[in-house]
Amino acid sequence: MSEVFISYARANEAVAKRVESGLKAAGFDAWRDDQLPAHRSYSEIIEQRLRGASAVVVLWSKEASQSQWVRAEADFARTEGKLVQARLDDTLPPLPFNQIQCADLSGWRGHRKHKGWAKLVESLSFSSSGEQPKSAQAAAARSLRVDRRSILAAVAAILLLIAGAVLLLPRLTGEGDGRPTVAVLPFASLTAGDENLVDGIWEDTRQALSRNPQLTVIGRQSAQVMAREELDPRQYRSRFGVDYLLDGSIRHAGDSLRFSVNLVRTEDGAQVWSESFDRQLQDVFALQAEIAREIEGRIRGRLARGGGTMAEHISTTPEVYALYNDARAIVHKIDVPNMPTATKLLRRAIELDPNYAPAYATLALALRHTIPPAREIRPDQRHEPGRNARRAIALAPNLAIGHAALGYVLPPGPEAEAAIRRAVALDPNNAAILSWLARVEQGKGRTDAALKLYDRAAKIEPLSSDVVIRRLQLLMLLKHDAEVERELERLKQSGSIALNGLARMTVLESRRDLSEAARVGLNAYKAAPPEERGLLGLLLGGPLIQLQKHELAFRVAPLPPFALFMWSNDPRALPFIDKLPMAPADFWASAPMTQLICRNLVHHRRDRDLIRLYKEGAGSPEKLAERIEHANQFLLTAPYVAMALRRTGEAAEADALIALADQKLAERLNDPMDRGPGSLVRLARIRAVQGRHAEAAKALTDAVRGGWLSSPPIITPELLHDPPLALLKDLPEFQRARAYILNYVARERAELGPIDPEQVPMAPRPPGPPSGSG
């Protein structure tokens, strides 16, 4: 490939050096005037290099605009049709260059994912290949659409081999038994339309590295946040404890492919290894094998003692791999509104390749997060996630995500725990799986073990919202106040607006400072990038419902429209309930919608409708507990059903059901982790339905004195909205507790002040209720 000439003002030499280094890492031959030989004249060499260059990069700045040399070189490049421009500051290029497209590198510090840098590299790709971005490329893009996906699927093997090389870092660095921390930054897609495929290739590479027990590999969410920071390599070490950075880029033009990879040591910013590979596209799978052998051999000779490591991956057709990666990008982000799209893509991938285990495992997770339109709810939906996870394991017994998916979709119990422990054994550095196991340990009261797992997960994913928030909640539960403050300070320094807001909001809620929690959450929600608002908006809905700002809560929480009506027992929710074509057995497993529907039906005295669901979907107290699966959800639900049974003349059945709930609550109260104010409220609701109103009122009073306010969306600040608690309305103790909560909420609401909902961005909506549901 012909070289790229770099034109710049002497005052910008430091940036020019970064551009030169970056272009070489991206696979270009770059030249600037520090390489002039002493025995030849300056102007002679400059002219020769300009004429021979395939492209000329002009770095405009205030100083460059005043330089006659830079302007002359830019004019030559413009005349020859090989000008590529970049702006280093706010100064516009001089005429006529201000009329030509210009990449923005102001503030660029060498990061490959910077938008301006990606634009510059893409422009160079077109310029150096002799093609125009839109016209001449259009026909080639159409004819190569299938080959593009084939190429990128092949590159997956290349990157996995590089992953095998990085597994040898402990030997390379002489760190013995130490565990270097590696951040695999998101790979750059330098060809439009390939983003999801390149994202999938990056994820496979990161996962391959993480399987090595000698390494700590930064998790997906944290690596994405780190990449957006565009830090100097040394800052990755000081801020996140990262020892090495691995990044790469993929691009192709015509029938040629170039893959570039770069490994940097963060201690001093030194480049440990960099390589680019050029090949012609013929047989894509033969190309894959050829490049794989070459990279493995080079790495073995350069780094390893005793030979390199061949990484394993599950291969399939390029089309299946493309469908899988498009879906996996949605599932990773827990993008609930688009989860039905992910399920369709994964079903199509499985249709094309019924033996592709990763698609089954990811489909199980996608179904677990899907809120389907009511008309698409199927009778077998409840068991489908588990079936897909088991199919993944049958096809690939050592696929960690298959076991993890099974543990995640099953109800808590020995089988789910065994599946998650098997996943951890197969992939000990997967932060999500470690976090799931920590929740199992915490649920069993083993808080020390849970905290150690969260600590491990947080080292891998220091910027993962799920890991960070769950760890923070456990620290607060254990009253590790100093560690909580250290974590808040760390997150403040991280630069993640959404995560910092989530953490502060979580701590403020635990301190009952609802107004400040809502204020912090709203400010973070509005300032955060749209792609980071999902979980923040969902959790922000809690304090907003407590403050009775329902419209605002609905704007920020990505929930279907009928939720707004259900929160406050609005009768407009009833048509949705009437049109719900869900099988009764599946209805009981649909928390928290189950509890909201039960509350609305009992509040509006639609007892017979609830009893029909009970009879057809369960039939006995024991079956109901089995259907609901989660103990806390059963304890919330049983009082509603018992009330409906009693009001329809089935007192014996009601007594049996509420007695079972009483028994299960007593079992949970044996665990110190379950003796908080929330358990007292569950006890109050059970006692109220049993008719033991004085005991119920005392339990409620003790809960409020212990700091309990309400637990939206099931129990709102207006306690009369909850039918079991409303049975206590004639007791003075109940009225005092109710008045205390309402007054507290009113003060917090006044402190928050008025907020115009129209000034708050609307969260994406999942599919709404059936037509006619209000």
Side-chain angles (χ1 to χ4, degrees):
M1 181 181 289
S2 301
E3 70 186 9
V4 176
F5 183 102
I6 303 172
S7 175
Y8 63 100
R10 190 60 57 193
N12 306 124
E13 185 171 13
V15 181
K17 287 181 180 178
R18 286 203 296 270
V19 170
E20 179 187 10
S21 175
L23 291 179
K24 288 180 178 178
F28 295 94
D29 295 324
W31 186 90
R32 60 186 182 87
D33 60 7
D34 70 322
Q35 304 164 38
L36 286 169
H39 64 284
R40 297 183 62 184
S41 71
Y42 185 88
S43 58
E44 177 187 352
I45 294 299
I46 291 294
E47 183 176 355
Q48 178 183 330
R49 292 288 186 175
L50 277 171
R51 292 190 182 281
S54 62
V56 177
V57 172
V58 178
L59 304 178
W60 289 112
S61 65
K62 180 180 179 181
E63 295 81 8
S65 297
Q66 297 170 357
S67 167
Q68 292 184 1
W69 279 105
V70 174
R71 294 173 73 129
E73 290 160 1
D75 190 61
F76 175 88
R78 182 176 65 90
T79 302
E80 294 292 312
K82 48 188 177 183
L83 174 64
V84 177
Q85 304 188 119
R87 183 165 53 86
L88 305 184
D89 55 27
D90 293 335
T91 305
L92 288 176
L95 285 168
F97 306 106
N98 61 354
Q99 304 298 313
I100 303 172
Q101 184 179 15
C102 188
D104 184 3
L105 292 184
S106 56
W108 178 69
R109 294 187 291 275
H111 199 278
R112 306 294 188 266
K113 294 291 285 184
H114 187 281
K115 291 182 180 179
W117 177 256
K119 181 177 180 180
L120 178 71
V121 172
E122 184 177 3
S123 297
L124 279 172
S125 298
F126 292 126
S127 179
S128 60
S129 65
E131 299 175 348
Q132 295 301 316
K134 294 181 180 177
S135 57
Q137 275 270 317
R142 285 192 295 271
S143 64
L144 288 172
R145 188 170 294 128
V146 174
D147 284 340
R148 173 182 298 176
R149 295 194 168 196
S150 300
I151 292 169
L152 290 164
V155 173
I158 301 171
L159 289 166
L160 291 172
L161 287 166
I162 292 168
V166 182
L167 297 180
L168 302 168
L169 274 172
R171 299 180 185 177
L172 170 69
T173 60
E175 296 184 28
D177 294 332
R179 287 163 51 100
T181 298
V182 181
V184 185
L185 299 181
F187 296 142
S189 171
L190 303 182
T191 308
D194 292 337
E195 290 80 5
N196 280 342
L197 285 170
V198 173
D199 176 85
I201 293 167
W202 163 60
E203 174 67 5
D204 288 341
T205 305
R206 195 192 60 73
Q207 288 181 352
L209 284 173
S210 72
R211 285 193 288 269
N212 186 283
Q214 299 181 57
L215 286 176
T216 295
V217 180
I218 294 295
R220 177 185 177 88
Q221 290 186 27
S222 299
Q224 288 174 319
V225 174
M226 289 176 183
R228 287 196 290 270
E229 290 279 298
E230 299 178 12
L231 303 173
D232 179 271
R234 295 170 182 82
Q235 291 178 285
Y236 283 91
R237 186 179 184 88
S238 62
R239 290 176 59 177
F240 305 114
V242 171
D243 299 305
Y244 290 89
L245 300 175
L246 179 70
D247 66 4
S249 62
I250 303 166
R251 67 182 177 88
H252 71 272
D255 61 352
S256 65
L257 165 73
R258 171 158 288 194
F259 164 67
S260 302
V261 68
N262 191 44
L263 183 65
V264 173
R265 186 171 57 230
T266 60
E267 181 179 11
D268 52 9
Q271 188 175 76
V272 175
W273 182 64
S274 179
E275 194 72 78
S276 297
F277 301 89
D278 290 294
R279 292 294 185 275
Q280 295 297 308
L281 174 63
Q282 295 172 354
D283 181 336
V284 69
F285 293 105
L287 172 68
Q288 170 181 326
E290 176 192 351
I291 298 180
R293 285 193 299 270
E294 184 170 347
I295 293 179
E296 196 277 333
R298 291 189 188 191
I299 292 174
R300 182 176 61 241
R302 185 183 300 269
L303 304 181
R305 298 178 195 170
T309 301
M310 295 294 289
E312 296 178 356
H313 71 288
I314 299 173
S315 61
T316 185
T317 66
E319 184 179 0
V320 168
Y321 188 62
L323 290 165
Y324 167 68
N325 281 312
D326 286 348
R328 184 167 61 169
I330 297 171
V331 176
H332 274 149
K333 292 184 289 188
I334 314 182
D335 184 358
V336 174
N338 289 313
M339 209 62 73
T341 300
T343 63
K344 290 177 182 177
L345 292 171
L346 291 165
R347 291 188 198 282
R348 176 58 179 158
I350 290 169
E351 180 183 337
L352 293 172
D353 185 352
N355 296 315
Y356 191 43
Y360 285 99
T362 308
L363 178 59
L365 296 173
L367 290 169
R368 179 70 172 78
H369 293 297
T370 299
I371 303 176
R375 62 183 177 276
E376 293 183 9
I377 296 174
R378 299 179 307 282
D380 65 341
Q381 183 184 22
R382 175 176 171 234
H383 302 291
E384 188 177 4
R387 282 200 301 271
N388 282 288
R390 294 181 197 282
R391 178 61 177 160
I393 294 170
L395 290 168
N398 292 326
L399 183 67
I401 190 60
H403 295 276
L406 181 62
Y408 187 75
V409 303
L410 287 177
E415 187 180 7
E417 180 178 348
I420 292 175
R421 291 192 185 281
R422 175 60 177 156
V424 169
L426 290 168
D427 192 353
N429 290 312
N430 186 306
I433 300 175
L434 289 172
S435 179
W436 295 345
L437 182 56
R439 288 154 65 180
V440 171
E441 298 285 29
Q442 187 173 344
K444 291 179 171 292
R446 298 194 285 259
T447 54
D448 289 344
L451 188 56
K452 287 179 181 178
L453 287 165
Y454 280 132
D455 288 343
R456 281 176 57 191
K459 184 171 176 58
I460 297 165
E461 278 280 21
L463 299 176
S464 161
S465 54
D466 178 71
V467 172
V468 167
I469 298 304
R470 291 187 182 278
R471 178 175 178 270
L472 197 58
Q473 289 171 334
L474 181 55
L475 288 171
M476 289 188 294
L477 185 66
L478 297 174
K479 301 189 184 304
H480 292 181
D481 297 337
E483 182 60 28
V484 168
E485 294 303 321
R486 282 194 292 271
E487 180 69 350
L488 290 177
E489 181 60 28
R490 181 187 74 82
L491 295 173
K492 181 179 178 181
Q493 298 299 322
S494 74
S496 172
I497 296 172
L499 186 54
N500 185 39
L502 269 174
R504 291 181 60 203
M505 189 172 66
T506 299
V507 173
L508 289 165
E509 277 194 273
S510 74
R511 297 171 181 170
R512 302 173 63 190
D513 193 345
L514 299 181
S515 59
E516 188 62 17
R519 183 179 295 109
V520 165
L522 282 167
N523 288 339
Y525 179 84
K526 290 188 284 188
E531 64 272 15
E532 295 181 15
R533 289 177 183 155
L535 180 61
L536 180 59
L538 196 62
L539 297 185
L540 176 56
L544 290 175
I545 295 173
Q546 284 181 304
L547 292 169
Q548 297 180 316
K549 288 188 172 288
H550 290 173
E551 182 182 355
L552 198 56
F554 176 68
R555 286 190 71 86
V556 301
L559 296 169
F562 56 84
L564 183 60
F565 307 137
M566 285 192 173
W567 289 339
S568 55
N569 292 348
D570 190 312
R572 284 178 289 179
L574 296 175
F576 164 77
I577 297 171
D578 292 338
K579 293 178 180 293
L580 189 68
M582 184 185 292
D586 298 318
F587 165 78
W588 296 107
S590 302
M593 187 171 67
T594 297
Q595 290 71 39
L596 283 168
I597 290 176
C598 287
R599 192 186 78 194
N600 276 265
L601 289 175
V602 175
H603 178 83
H604 293 289
R605 305 194 75 83
R606 298 274 296 273
D607 303 309
R608 296 195 181 280
D609 293 322
L610 182 55
I611 297 309
R612 178 185 59 79
L613 289 168
Y614 170 72
K615 296 288 189 182
E616 296 177 8
S620 70
E622 292 74 20
K623 282 290 185 182
L624 183 64
E626 180 184 327
R627 296 285 190 218
I628 294 178
E629 299 173 343
H630 296 273
N632 276 336
Q633 301 297 338
F634 173 73
L635 292 174
L636 282 170
T637 309
Y640 295 133
V641 181
M643 283 186 67
L645 285 167
R646 184 162 283 126
R647 292 200 307 215
T648 54
E650 300 193 47
E653 186 81 358
D655 291 342
L657 176 58
I658 206 66
L660 180 61
D662 200 357
Q663 174 192 329
K664 289 188 174 292
L665 178 59
E667 292 170 358
R668 294 188 67 83
L669 288 176
N670 288 328
D671 185 345
M673 299 290 291
D674 273 324
R675 293 178 187 168
S679 291
L680 288 173
V681 176
R682 290 192 284 272
L683 178 62
R685 299 173 76 248
I686 290 172
R687 293 288 181 264
V689 175
Q690 288 174 325
R692 298 157 67 175
H693 290 181
E695 295 176 48
K698 183 181 184 305
L700 178 62
T701 299
D702 290 344
V704 172
R705 285 175 177 167
W708 184 83
L709 287 175
S710 61
S711 51
I714 307 302
I715 302 178
T716 68
E718 177 48 87
L719 300 185
L720 290 175
H721 283 169
D722 184 64
L725 291 178
L727 293 171
L728 309 175
K729 64 182 179 181
D730 294 330
L731 296 180
E733 297 94 329
F734 172 82
Q735 291 298 340
R736 282 195 293 270
R738 174 174 174 260
Y740 175 83
I741 292 174
L742 291 176
N743 290 337
Y744 190 95
V745 167
R747 289 195 301 271
E748 290 291 312
R749 182 184 172 97
E751 188 173 327
L752 178 62
I755 295 174
D756 182 2
E758 296 301 321
Q759 300 302 312
V760 179
M762 174 73 84
R765 300 289 97 175
S771 176
S773 67

